[in-house]
Amino acid sequence: MTEIDAELASKLQIDVPHAARMWNYWMGGKDNFQADRAAGDAVAGVYPEIAVMARQSRRFLIRVVRFLAAEAGIRQFIDVGTGLPTMQNTHEVAQGVAPETRVLYVDNDPMVLVHARALLVSSASNGPISYVEADYHDPDKILAAAAQTLDFQKPIAVMFMGVMGYEPDLDVVRSIVDRMMSPAASGSHLVLWDGTDTSTAVVEGADKLADSGGVPYILRSPEQLAACFEGLAMVEPGMAPITLWRPDDPQAERIDAYGAVARKP
């Protein structure tokens, strides 16, 4: 084990459920531990739709990134709280449209860092992909890292995909979003989705997550999530269940997760 690997291993708490690894488990991935699976099963026991939400969140990401790259002309992305890689990650979708696209991944989980290093190596022929080990509560650190590879004179897409529920104070969430969007050029876009308190079952699932030792996840109303986009111009269809945001499947059903995309004037 190298010195760096030893440092990562010391940070890896395999006996404590972690959001990125639980999400990986719900998506059918293998980068998780028993504590993650136990907590994941506890949530699914009262809210079986969590696995559907996990898969649909990735499909939402794919549609959003494809829209931003192909229709909005975005060539720079900051993916905050990226999680463990699964099918069609942000850089793969964006660079599939425009190979020169630049992507900064942000996460604070040691396992994500290991996978991120592999991504950096494998994508050398396209636009640069970088990674910063950071928490979204430190937007200045994220922005400093972004400034090393992204051009803030040109539009950037800032993405918070299902991660802001781990911050209990909505005012703090709005402050983080505002700080991240403040230096972005006109034409930049904000993408944000989170689980919502739109059914009794999902609320019970969130309670079970906390009871199982996972970090509590705060479910908010769609109206509260919409407040994070204040001052920005919503892209149609506005704040909507992520399954119904420009769906590929006309039979897509509503789920307890809402999101939106908005443009900075």
Side-chain angles (χ1 to χ4, degrees):
M1 180 179 289
T2 66
E3 182 178 346
I4 293 178
D5 290 335
E7 180 183 354
L8 289 176
S10 69
K11 297 179 180 179
L12 198 60
Q13 297 177 292
I14 66 173
D15 58 341
V16 178
H18 189 282
R21 302 193 303 261
M22 289 174 62
W23 214 245
N24 176 265
Y25 175 56
W26 287 323
M27 284 187 175
K30 299 179 179 179
D31 296 304
N32 47 75
F33 298 105
Q34 178 56 36
D36 309 307
R37 296 189 288 272
D41 288 341
V43 175
V46 296
Y47 187 65
E49 294 83 357
I50 190 63
V52 174
M53 185 185 295
R55 293 191 295 270
Q56 289 293 343
S57 70
R58 181 56 50 150
R59 292 171 184 160
F60 174 66
L61 180 147
I62 293 168
R63 296 196 305 276
V64 164
V65 173
R66 187 185 301 131
F67 160 77
L68 290 170
E71 298 185 43
I74 300 295
R75 297 294 180 265
Q76 304 183 106
F77 291 79
I78 303 177
D79 188 341
V80 183
T82 181
L84 289 159
T86 54
M87 60 175 185
Q88 291 187 270
N89 301 289
T90 298
H91 73 283
E92 294 169 317
V93 179
Q95 293 182 347
V97 175
E100 71 274 18
T101 298
R102 302 174 175 220
V103 178
L104 172 67
Y105 286 114
V106 183
D107 210 290
N108 64 348
D109 180 71
M111 282 187 67
V112 176
L113 176 57
V114 171
H115 286 281
R117 287 173 176 162
L119 293 178
L120 301 185
V121 172
S122 65
S123 59
S125 61
N126 291 330
I129 298 171
S130 53
Y131 175 91
V132 56
E133 185 178 7
D135 186 292
Y136 57 60
H137 290 95
D138 192 357
D140 289 338
K141 180 177 180 179
I142 298 171
L143 291 170
Q148 296 179 21
T149 55
L150 306 184
D151 182 355
F152 278 83
Q153 300 303 309
K154 297 179 180 179
I156 296 172
V158 180
M159 302 165 52
F160 296 97
M161 309 298 275
V163 297
M164 285 305 196
Y166 296 106
E167 168 47 55
D169 189 330
L170 182 59
D171 288 338
V172 173
V173 172
R174 295 182 64 178
S175 175
I176 292 169
V177 171
D178 289 345
R179 180 68 187 96
M180 289 294 299
M181 294 300 296
S182 178
S186 173
S188 293
H189 285 67
L190 169 67
V191 184
L192 186 150
W193 81 265
D194 263 310
T196 51
D197 58 359
T198 42
S199 78
T200 300
V202 73
V203 172
E204 292 176 353
D207 291 341
K208 185 62 69 174
L209 171 62
D211 292 342
S212 302
V215 177
Y217 188 94
I218 307 303
L219 297 169
R220 297 188 167 96
S221 68
E223 292 75 19
Q224 287 175 313
L225 295 183
C228 298
F229 293 84
E230 186 175 343
L232 305 176
M234 287 273 197
V235 173
E236 289 294 333
M239 180 62 63
I242 58 174
T243 47
L244 303 183
W245 195 93
R246 305 195 176 198
D248 295 326
D249 178 7
Q251 304 300 318
E253 297 183 359
R254 181 183 304 269
I255 64 172
D256 298 306
Y258 278 62
V261 179
R263 183 182 185 275
K264 183 175 181 178

